[in-house]
């Protein structure tokens, strides 16, 4: 065998070795795009609403895994986000407050356990970028509604490589969050504002358009990095005020928009289980004031629902711009997309305009997870899931080990097989001195207070709008379910009597 032949054989072997490596061997780690949308009910086309126009969110849901019954742990912005970011149930009253992220992360030194799943991604080689409202603050900084952000601490100081926000004509993040098309804001006008607006502006005329513009630009930069990325994009709308460019209002004929199927008070329920729509009423130039004592007029209720739908369609259009950027930059085939609503919102249901209850309308929100190459699935109402399940899910999908305790359970078996024999059909939520448990059929709520009744039971098979508390009629069901609810009792109300 000549030296020339041996050299040629070696060259051929080297070529075959490196040219025939399979896709699995060369596969890059998944990128992750996490889109958090504030106050988003599961009222999307893909969830069965045939009036609202959400084609881009519908595409994600129809191409990925849609969870019919996804529940947040706390029905308020900051606390819900604290729970999903840490993968933990609330364990104190402070965990139920909008300041939860600030209280438990902002002043903490970096410890062995990551402060959030974003931090865990960063520790494992991901480049992390946050744009808009991911934690509680709209720009990731800890400062008051009427304060300057200059010198403010980061809410999650160890999580981000980059934290981006463009306040535009509103000048600060909180002004932008409560902003109107002319650059004004709720606090600057001392709450003398309406809870809705159809702005004569284009998509950049409201803050979410600017955040999306940042996201599109950043995706172009990230596509050139030899490093996987996690991008969090937090859109404000449809959070109050229900503002959107007029073209999204024009998508709808108001008379076609349905009113709440149950605008009355639920039976056998203490008013303490509901709320007086205080956030909504802080927009003091609204046409009418909401409250438990009476319903809003049908005309005003329909106007508000029209405004909400327009704001949702605006966010959907912005999501479409991000999806287009993913495709254009060649990132779509290697990027996990998660769409998450931080809680639901009563649109007049039970005479409430807002979140902050333990009812289905406040606790249920969309969860869509699209993993490249996975077949589409719908996880039905027989398997409720929780926001805290996202942390272990993302880590399993990206192959990142977790050696610390989490309260959530990975959704990967549901995503890959559509079922999980090891998963209990339970989701726990916490608010208003109560613990709520949602099962396939029932919602059981136990309140730690003096006001009676302290136990509520809703049968979703016969009463999907939770109109009647039937706890007194079914002591046998209460006896069966209460031990299961106690599994979610973290002791956060141990010292409460009211």
């Amino acid at each position: 065998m000549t030296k020339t032949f041996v050299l040629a054989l070696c060259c051929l072997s080297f070529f075959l070795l490196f040219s025939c490596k399979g896709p699995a061997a060369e596969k890059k780690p998944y990128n992750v795009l996490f889109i958090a949308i504030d106050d988003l009910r599961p009222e999307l086309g893909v969830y069965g609403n045939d009036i609202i126009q959400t084609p881009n969110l519908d595409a994600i849901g129809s191409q990925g895994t849609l969870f019919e019954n996804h529940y947040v742990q706390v029905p308020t912005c900051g606390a819900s986000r604290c729970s999903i970011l840490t993968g933990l149930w609330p364990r104190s009253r402070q965990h139920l407050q909008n300041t939860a992220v600030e209280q438990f992360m902002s002043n903490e030194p970096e410890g062995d356990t990551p402060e959030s799943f974003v931090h865990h991604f960063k520790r494992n080689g991901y480049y992390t970028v946050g744009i808009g409202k991911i934690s509680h603050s709209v720009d990731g900084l800890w400062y008051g509604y009427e304060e300057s952000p200059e010198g403010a601490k980061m809410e999650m100081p160890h999580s981000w490589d980059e934290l981006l926000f463009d306040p535009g004509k509103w000048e600060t993040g909180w002004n932008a969050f409560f902003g109107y098309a002319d650059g004004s804001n709720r606090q600057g006008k001392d709450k003398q504002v309406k809870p809705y607006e159809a702005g004569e502006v284009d998509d950049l005329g409201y803050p979410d358009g600017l955040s999306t513009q940042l996201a599109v630009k950043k995706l172009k930069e990230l596509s050139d990095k030899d490093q996987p990325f996690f991008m969090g994009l937090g859109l404000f709308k449809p959070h109050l005020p229900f503002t959107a460019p007029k073209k999204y209002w024009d998508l709808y004929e108001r008379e076609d928009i349905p009113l709440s199927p149950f605008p009355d008070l639920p039976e056998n329920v203490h008013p303490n289980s509901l709320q007086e729509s205080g956030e909504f009423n802080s927009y003091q130039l609204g046409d009418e004031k909401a409250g438990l004592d009476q319903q809003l007029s049908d005309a005003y209720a329909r106007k508000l629902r029209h405004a909400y739908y327009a704001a949702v369609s605006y966010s959907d259009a912005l999501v479409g711009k991000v999806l287009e950027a993913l495709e254009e930059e060649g990132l779509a085939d290697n990027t996990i997309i998660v769409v998450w609503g931080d809680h639901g919102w009563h649109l007049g249901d039970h005479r409430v305009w807002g979140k902050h209850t333990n009812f289905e309308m406040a606790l249920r929100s969309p969860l869509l997870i699209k993993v490249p190459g996975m077949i589409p699935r719908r996880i039905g109402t027989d398997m409720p899931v929780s926001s805290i399940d996202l942390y272990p899910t993302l880590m399993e999908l990206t192959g990142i080990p977790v050696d610390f305790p989490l309260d959530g359970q990975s959704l990967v078996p549901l995503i890959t097989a559509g079922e999980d024999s090891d998963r209990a059909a339970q989701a726990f939520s916490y608010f208003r001195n109560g613990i709520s448990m949602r099962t396939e059929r029932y919602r059981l709520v136990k309140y730690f207070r003096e006001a009676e009744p302290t136990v509520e039971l809703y049968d979703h098979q016969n009463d999907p709008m939770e109109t009647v508390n039937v706890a007194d009629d079914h002591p046998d069901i209460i006896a069966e379910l209460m031990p299961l609810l106690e599994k979610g009792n973290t002791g956060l109300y141990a010292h409460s009597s009211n």
Side-chain angles (χ1 to χ4, degrees), residues 146-410:
E146 299 184 53
E147 297 174 359
S148 168
E150 186 175 352
K153 295 180 179 179
M154 293 176 64
E155 281 191 310
M156 301 197 303
H158 311 298
S159 293
W160 303 111
D161 286 303
E162 286 189 76
L163 196 56
L164 307 175
F165 188 72
D166 181 359
K169 56 194 170 187
W170 299 274
E171 298 183 349
T172 75
W174 282 121
N175 285 350
F177 188 68
F178 297 109
Y180 293 85
D182 64 358
S184 64
N185 63 83
R186 185 187 72 179
Q187 53 268 34
K189 290 198 169 185
D190 196 26
K191 302 182 180 179
Q192 300 303 303
V193 290
K194 292 183 179 295
Y196 57 86
E197 181 183 64
E200 295 285 357
V201 294
D202 61 17
D203 285 353
L204 296 177
Y206 287 108
D208 282 339
L210 300 180
S211 292
T212 302
Q213 184 174 249
L214 285 173
V216 169
K217 179 181 178 182
K218 183 53 62 174
L219 285 172
K220 295 181 185 297
E221 296 175 13
L222 293 173
S223 65
D224 294 329
K225 290 180 72 71
D226 188 23
Q227 183 180 5
F229 66 81
F230 172 92
M231 176 186 283
L233 173 62
L235 299 179
F236 300 165
K237 298 299 110 176
H239 192 286
L240 284 169
F242 299 154
T243 56
K246 184 176 180 296
K247 63 182 177 180
Y248 298 105
W249 288 68
D250 293 343
L251 294 174
Y252 301 97
E253 295 293 337
R254 186 170 297 173
E255 58 270 21
D256 294 338
I257 296 175
L259 295 171
S260 169
F262 189 76
D264 298 312
L265 296 176
E267 297 179 25
N268 307 325
V269 171
H270 194 278
N272 285 6
S273 297
L274 299 163
Q275 53 109 336
E276 291 281 3
S277 305
E279 179 186 13
F280 172 81
N281 289 327
S282 69
Y283 295 79
Q284 295 179 1
L285 296 187
D287 303 19
E288 302 171 21
K289 183 178 179 180
L292 298 179
D293 55 341
Q294 63 179 0
Q295 299 175 26
L296 298 183
S297 68
D298 286 355
Y300 189 38
R302 189 169 270 114
K303 179 193 284 189
L304 291 168
R305 291 171 76 91
H306 184 181
Y308 182 90
Y309 277 31
V312 172
S313 289
Y314 175 43
S315 284
D316 178 80
L318 299 178
V319 169
K321 293 183 180 185
V322 178
L323 297 181
E324 184 178 353
L326 281 176
E327 291 286 352
E328 289 179 351
E329 299 306 319
L331 296 168
D333 291 340
N334 198 50
T335 300
I336 297 169
I337 302 173
V338 178
V339 176
W340 172 73
D342 65 345
H343 41 67
W345 219 84
H346 292 256
L347 282 172
D349 321 292
H350 304 128
R351 296 191 187 173
V352 173
W353 292 85
K355 52 257 189 185
H356 300 156
T357 76
N358 282 316
F359 285 87
E360 185 87 353
M361 288 298 180
L363 297 174
R364 181 170 170 248
S365 76
L367 178 63
L368 313 171
I369 302 176
K370 181 183 176 184
V371 183
M374 296 287 184
I375 65 172
R377 295 190 187 277
R378 296 180 73 94
I379 305 304
T381 57
D382 59 330
M383 184 52 71
V385 302
S386 297
S387 291
I388 54 171
D389 296 331
L390 185 64
Y391 195 147
T393 302
L394 290 179
M395 296 309 134
E396 183 172 352
L397 288 171
T398 54
I400 297 175
V402 175
D403 59 358
F404 43 87
L406 298 172
D407 290 327
Q409 183 176 347
S410 174

